[in-house]
Amino acid sequence: GAFASSRSIAIAKIMRRRSDARRGARSRRATVLAAMTSAACLVHSMRTRAFGARADADDALVAVGDVHGDPDAMFEALALAGVTRERGRGWWRRPGEGAGARATCVQTGDLVDRGERSIEAVDEVERLTREANAVGDEFVSLLGNHELMTLQGDHRFASRDELTALGRSELEREGVVEADKGVGLGVRAYFYAGKLKWRQTFAKGSTRGDVLREKPWAAVRGRGRCATAFSHAGLLPEHLFGRDDVDELNARGAKLLAVDEVGRDDPLLLDRGPMWTRTISMGDESEACALAAEVIRRLGVRRMVVGHTVTKSGKIETRCDGLIHMIDVGMSKAYGGSPSVWMCTESEGPMAISRDSRVPLEN
């Protein structure tokens, strides 16, 4: 009897341990599931809030930085702000959909080079521009230094893979590859054919060439809390030509681009020009702040938003107590970064939105 009793006690202890283990496993599964649900809700909430801001008649001003031949990264960034559909590449609404607020998106230049889908990036932005305009929204794509280099015939940073694929496609279209199979056309032949086709693709008078030539050099958008000046590398007082707007800069820029091959001698095209300057993003703090403050005062805005220089953190950063916002996060696969988008509404002010966070940029 004593043996049976002791055996029963041992069995009972084993059963309790197993029961406790099962409860522990269920608890851990529940904890993991709750964490996954919380993360999913965060992403959904970020997107819902972005869409809700416009649906609730709060205008949204959105900006995305350098794309560098990676349209997938661009579309992910835009989806984070709710200006493209979550599961597609179309603008966030179609004619007859949505009501109230207006969405304006500014892409700060450098669609091309480095990544292997530059031409696709240019085409997709043009499509988004048409779709946004069709519903009363706006998509503005600025000129960057890599678009400028393309128009100057400088293709050093065009993706070799994209040029090779472009050349092969062109030779196949012309029937050269099939006809000369015995010759053994190689990668070198495709690459040089691609460089020639690239020049033709962006030549003056071509559809894509004219698209690049017509891009503005700077833009001022937003009002109230969201009034902002945008440019690729930054605006200095000298770029305003004595005016309190960017109209003269854009007019002079358009004139410089209205040629077969853009030159390199005008000050606007040099190191201190709005496509190239590093003063705003990397210059001495006191100098950068003073110059930015003057431009901001003259343009009647709250801040300046720029791309061009990849931030050290890989996230959207600010300088000069929020006068300068730097949004080139190196999101292209060519840099290995992660998409982020800048967004401002009157109710929230400017925000940096990434896959896992939504961070206010100003107090």
Side-chain angles (χ1 to χ4, degrees):
F3 173 75
S5 174
S6 136
R7 184 182 180 191
S8 297
I9 292 171
I11 291 172
K13 287 181 178 179
I14 292 171
M15 294 294 288
R16 281 196 299 273
R17 282 199 297 269
R18 288 179 176 176
S19 176
D20 290 344
R22 284 195 294 270
R23 282 197 298 270
R26 284 195 297 269
S27 176
R28 287 192 295 273
R29 285 196 296 270
T31 300
V32 171
L33 181 60
M36 292 173 64
T37 302
S38 176
C41 287
L42 173 62
V43 173
H44 176 74
S45 173
M46 286 162 55
R47 288 173 175 165
T48 301
R49 288 170 67 190
F51 273 90
R54 286 185 285 288
D56 294 337
D58 196 1
D59 288 353
L61 180 60
V62 175
V64 63
D66 301 35
V67 173
H68 282 303
D70 190 351
D72 290 343
M74 176 185 72
F75 278 110
E76 183 177 347
L78 294 173
L80 290 171
V83 292
T84 56
R85 293 169 182 260
E86 183 177 350
R87 298 185 181 278
R89 296 183 164 218
W91 191 245
W92 74 287
R93 62 179 175 184
R94 295 286 183 267
E97 296 178 351
R102 188 169 187 252
T104 298
C105 181
V106 180
Q107 196 282 316
T108 55
D110 277 7
L111 293 172
V112 303
D113 285 351
R114 303 195 187 279
E116 59 189 35
R117 294 160 63 196
S118 292
I119 293 174
E120 182 183 346
V122 171
D123 292 347
E124 291 285 32
V125 163
E126 283 305 292
R127 179 177 60 78
L128 284 177
T129 301
R130 294 191 297 270
E131 291 182 2
N133 289 341
V135 294
D137 292 332
E138 184 183 25
F139 196 108
V140 181
S141 179
L142 301 181
L143 188 77
N145 66 300
H146 282 268
E147 282 81 40
L148 178 60
M149 292 168 68
T150 297
L151 299 179
Q152 291 172 325
D154 185 346
H155 313 316
R156 288 174 295 160
F157 298 100
S159 163
R160 190 177 187 89
D161 288 343
E162 181 165 20
L163 292 178
T164 300
L166 187 64
R168 183 182 180 89
S169 176
E170 182 65 10
L171 292 177
E172 287 177 342
R173 190 181 69 82
E174 296 290 341
V176 174
V177 174
E178 186 66 27
D180 292 346
K181 273 186 175 177
V183 176
L185 290 174
V187 173
R188 185 181 295 271
Y190 300 141
F191 175 67
Y192 284 106
K195 288 182 70 174
L196 177 61
K197 183 61 178 177
W198 183 271
R199 292 180 67 93
Q200 294 171 347
T201 297
F202 295 108
K204 187 174 184 295
S206 70
T207 299
R208 296 185 182 100
D210 289 346
V211 161
L212 296 195
R213 284 170 170 78
E214 292 168 3
K215 288 184 181 296
W217 291 44
V220 174
R221 293 293 187 275
R223 59 189 178 189
R225 196 175 179 186
C226 295
T228 306
F230 299 90
S231 67
H232 180 62
L235 293 174
L236 305 178
E238 64 208 61
H239 299 153
L240 302 183
F241 299 101
R243 298 169 59 102
D244 295 334
D245 56 45
V246 296
D247 295 348
E248 182 64 19
L249 169 63
N250 285 330
R252 294 190 185 209
K255 188 175 181 180
L256 289 171
L257 302 183
V259 294
D260 291 336
E261 188 166 297
V262 177
R264 294 175 172 81
D265 53 350
D266 191 280
L268 286 176
L269 304 171
L270 301 179
D271 289 351
R272 202 170 160 84
M275 299 302 131
W276 288 103
T277 183
R278 302 281 183 186
T279 300
I280 294 299
S281 58
M282 296 179 66
D284 174 76
E285 186 84 1
S286 60
E287 179 189 13
C289 295
L291 293 171
E294 182 179 347
V295 170
I296 287 166
R297 177 186 61 78
R298 288 171 58 180
L299 293 179
V301 296
R302 295 287 192 94
R303 68 196 61 83
M304 181 188 303
V305 170
V306 301
H308 188 49
T309 302
V310 180
T311 60
K312 292 181 179 179
S313 67
K315 299 178 180 180
I316 292 173
E317 298 178 2
T318 65
R319 295 187 79 186
C320 306
D321 293 326
L323 291 180
I324 300 168
H325 291 201
M326 300 175 292
I327 66 168
D328 181 3
V329 297
M331 66 180 172
S332 170
K333 288 179 182 177
Y335 288 100
S338 179
S340 292
V341 66
W342 182 96
M343 185 170 83
C344 184
T345 62
E346 189 64 27
S347 60
E348 292 187 302
M351 310 282 292
I353 307 175
S354 63
R355 289 170 177 164
D356 57 3
S357 66
R358 183 185 181 98
V359 180
L361 292 170
E362 298 173 4
N363 296 325

